[in-house]
Amino acid sequence: MTSTDPTGEPAHDADFQDNVRDLADVPSVEVISRAAVMLMSAAAEKLGLADEDPDSAATRDLDEARRLITALAGLVTASVEYLGAHAGPIRDGLQTLQRAFREASAIPDAPGQGPGEKYTGPVY
């Protein structure tokens, strides 16, 4: 149950307040990097990569994975100049997901037609 302050508004937990950062204080590279990591993680889940046997993973959904990988490719392409040292690892992760998607597909897309490849170029 949430406690309230004298005005009847929910009281904020002091620990929660200590952990919250004002969005204005967060550097853009951190926001972009966190968004990229979230997209990568979600795409990996949709590819079934978190399971022992990705081919039988209950979470596998290649259509959803395609969307997430394409969104990640757009984000990376649009922001690569701002990512500095983070650009290389994020690009590597993107290419790994693109290759995993190709391997998971029963009928792989033609080079340049896979998820995000309109932004990154063909991934083999």
Side-chain angles (χ1 to χ4, degrees):
M1 185 167 183
T2 305
S3 62
T4 58
D5 68 15
T7 66
E9 294 295 315
H12 295 285
D13 185 50
D15 290 335
F16 177 76
Q17 288 297 330
D18 290 340
N19 291 324
V20 175
R21 289 170 51 189
D22 187 12
L23 197 52
D25 295 334
V26 181
S28 60
V29 68
E30 185 176 334
V31 173
I32 295 166
S33 297
R34 285 184 181 198
V37 169
M38 182 178 289
L39 288 166
M40 279 188 225
S41 298
E45 286 286 337
K46 295 298 183 180
L47 288 170
L49 299 178
D51 288 19
E52 260 185 55
D53 182 12
D55 293 331
S56 64
T59 59
R60 185 176 234 180
D61 184 336
L62 295 183
D63 186 49
E64 288 287 310
R66 177 184 294 278
R67 294 172 189 186
L68 292 162
I69 294 168
T70 299
L72 174 61
L75 175 65
V76 171
T77 301
S79 60
V80 71
E81 69 182 289
Y82 308 115
L83 293 173
H86 301 277
I90 292 173
R91 279 183 162 168
D92 291 345
L94 170 58
Q95 288 179 352
T96 298
L97 290 168
Q98 289 172 311
R99 287 188 191 101
F101 184 92
R102 184 172 299 281
E103 290 175 16
S105 299
I107 303 171
D109 296 313
Q113 300 301 309
E117 291 182 8
K118 69 180 177 182
Y119 301 113
T120 64
V123 175
Y124 300 96

